[in-house]
Every structure is written in structure tokens, then in C-alpha cells.
């Protein structure tokens, strides 16, 4: 029609189509820090999802994190270098997603003993006590599968792609029903329960 409403596409059965294999791609996350209405800093990183295979209705992706920047530049601080070195050992990981788009499992590509040995080897290059403590924390996190699953589930791209957004039911013509999602508002903070709805 002249109003363009013939171009409107309402989700079939009130659901947005969710072709899980097509979620593979590169995602950039940018977080801005404000104080008193003025921007203090900008943080950015990238997440890459590669679709691997389907098994018994579940879908498998590899997940990689890289390209961490502050205010558009890569930090050359010692702790930033250590964090990148640890990430290079821990990632990529393989994640398993259910047909309902829920993150079910995460696993390393290398045996846990190999990962812990490689992390321990970093102490030869990062010799101060703070670095040693950080490395020991990474080793504990690597052996705690539940912690790894929770950490990855709370990453913003994963939170969005495999969260409740695509499962929202569109009762009306343009608006979904209200749904709830627990979203971590800071990296190490307890997730907050949000009441959300989508509008097309």
C-alpha cells in the first residue's frame, strides 16, 4: 500500500525466526563509562562465533575473544599483557546450544592439565606476586566448569544471542509480551532482573 504497511512482516506464530547456524559471525562490544554526564572511557572487545556442527538437535560453536581496547588503543600495561596471554591459552572454547537457544555447555579444546601447565609457565615471564596471584585465579577458574559456563553466559553477545530476546512471544501486531531476563550490569556484579519487551 501507499503507507508501506504491506512491507511489514509479522513473526509467524508470534515468534522471531531463529536460525541458530546463522548466528555465527564477528560481534563488537563497546562499553562507555560516564561520570556526571561526561564520558570518562570507552572499552571495546570482539567476539567471534564460528558454527561447527549439529548433533542430536544441539548446535556447537567455537567462541573466541580478542581485540580488547581502551579509548581506541590496545593497552600495553603489564596486567593487560598478562590478561591477553591468559586469554590466548583459555580461548577459543566450544559451546553447546540447545534447540531452544539456551547455552548448555562449554569445554576447552585442550585438556585441563595442558591449560593449567601453560598458565603456570607464564610465571616465568610475569614474575611479580600480583601476576602470580592472577595466574593462580585463572587456573582455579579453568578447573571450575560451572564458573566458565556462567562467565560465558554473562558475556554481552552471548547474553543477547542466546538469551530471552528471540524467545519472546509477540501477542500483538508490533509488541511482544513482557518477559524477564537476568542481565549482569557489570563484569563481576550479580545479574539484575530486568522486565523487558520488544517492539518491531
Amino acid at each position: 500500500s501507499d503507507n508501506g504497511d504491506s512491507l511489514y512482516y509479522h513473526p509467524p506464530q508470534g515468534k522471531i525466526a531463529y536460525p541458530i547456524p546463522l548466528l555465527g559471525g564477528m560481534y563488537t562490544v563497546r562499553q562507555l563509562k560516564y561520570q556526571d554526564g561526561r564520558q570518562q572511557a570507552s572499552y571495546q572487545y570482539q567476539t567471534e562465533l564460528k558454527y561447527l556442527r549439529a548433533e542430536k538437535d544441539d548446535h556447537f560453536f567455537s567462541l573466541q575473544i580478542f581485540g580488547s581496547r581502551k579509548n581506541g588503543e590496545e593497552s600495553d600495561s603489564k596486567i593487560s599483557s598478562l590478561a591477553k596471554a591468559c586469554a590466548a591459552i583459555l580461548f577459543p572454547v566450544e559451546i553447546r546450544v540447545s534447540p531452544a537457544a539456551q547455552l548448555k555447555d562449554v569445554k576447552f579444546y585442550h585438556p585441563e592439565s595442558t591449560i593449567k601447565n601453560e598458565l603456570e609457565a607464564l610465571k616465568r615471564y610475569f614474575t611479580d606476586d600480583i601476576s602470580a596471584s592472577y595466574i593462580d585465579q585463572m587456573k582455579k577458574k579453568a578447573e571450575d566448569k560451572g564458573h566458565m559456563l556462567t562467565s560465558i553466559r554473562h558475556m554481552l553477545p552471548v547474553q543477547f544471542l542466546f538469551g530471552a530476546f528471540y524467545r519472546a512471544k509477540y501477542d500483538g501486531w508490533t509488541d511482544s509480551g513482557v518477559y524477564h531476563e537476568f542481565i549482569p550490569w557489570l563484569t563481576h556484579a550479580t545479574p539484575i532482573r530486568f522486565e523487558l519487551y520488544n517492539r518491531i
Side-chain angles (χ1 to χ4, degrees):
S1 78
D2 293 338
N3 297 328
D5 50 342
S6 62
L7 301 176
Y8 181 81
Y9 173 77
H10 189 262
Q13 290 84 48
K15 293 277 192 174
I16 295 177
Y18 194 71
I20 292 177
L22 297 183
L23 296 178
M26 191 82 69
Y27 298 90
T28 299
V29 176
R30 192 163 156 242
Q31 178 183 346
L32 303 178
K33 180 181 177 183
Y34 286 89
Q35 186 172 350
D36 299 326
R38 295 182 62 187
Q39 183 179 319
Q40 299 293 309
S42 168
Y43 302 92
Q44 181 177 305
Y45 68 89
Q46 289 183 304
T47 300
E48 183 180 36
L49 279 175
K50 287 184 181 174
Y51 186 76
L52 301 176
R53 66 190 182 280
E55 284 180 17
K56 297 179 181 176
D57 295 329
D58 287 340
H59 299 270
F60 291 79
F61 290 85
S62 72
L63 184 147
Q64 177 70 282
I65 301 172
F66 57 92
S68 179
R69 293 176 175 270
K70 180 180 178 182
N71 298 327
E73 297 178 3
E74 285 195 47
S75 174
D76 58 359
S77 70
K78 190 170 191 176
I79 193 66
S80 177
S81 298
L82 176 57
K84 287 176 192 169
C86 289
I89 294 169
L90 296 169
F91 290 92
V93 294
E94 182 179 277
I95 62 173
R96 180 160 57 107
V97 180
S98 75
Q102 291 175 313
L103 189 61
K104 290 173 68 174
D105 194 19
V106 59
K107 72 175 187 178
F108 295 112
Y109 279 98
H110 303 291
E112 184 186 308
S113 58
T114 302
I115 290 170
K116 289 169 77 174
N117 288 339
E118 288 185 15
L119 288 170
E120 184 66 26
L122 290 177
K123 291 180 181 177
R124 292 198 299 257
Y125 309 100
F126 299 91
T127 55
D128 59 286
D129 290 343
I130 294 174
S131 295
S133 175
Y134 182 88
I135 290 166
D136 288 340
Q137 286 179 34
M138 290 298 107
K139 285 165 63 180
K140 281 185 180 174
K141 289 177 180 178
E143 65 189 28
D144 183 349
K145 197 170 183 180
H147 175 85
M148 284 298 297
L149 186 59
T150 300
S151 294
I152 289 173
R153 187 176 278 137
H154 287 172
M155 288 174 51
L156 285 175
V158 173
Q159 182 82 35
F160 176 74
L161 294 170
F162 304 116
F165 177 85
Y166 285 99
R167 296 194 297 276
K169 173 82 172 165
Y170 286 79
D171 300 321
W173 189 239
T174 59
D175 294 276
S176 76
V178 171
Y179 61 96
H180 298 94
E181 185 79 289
F182 286 88
I183 300 174
W185 62 287
L186 288 173
T187 305
H188 300 294
T190 302
I192 294 175
R193 182 177 186 260
F194 284 84
E195 187 172 274
L196 305 168
Y197 75 96
N198 306 340
R199 172 169 290 172
I200 297 176

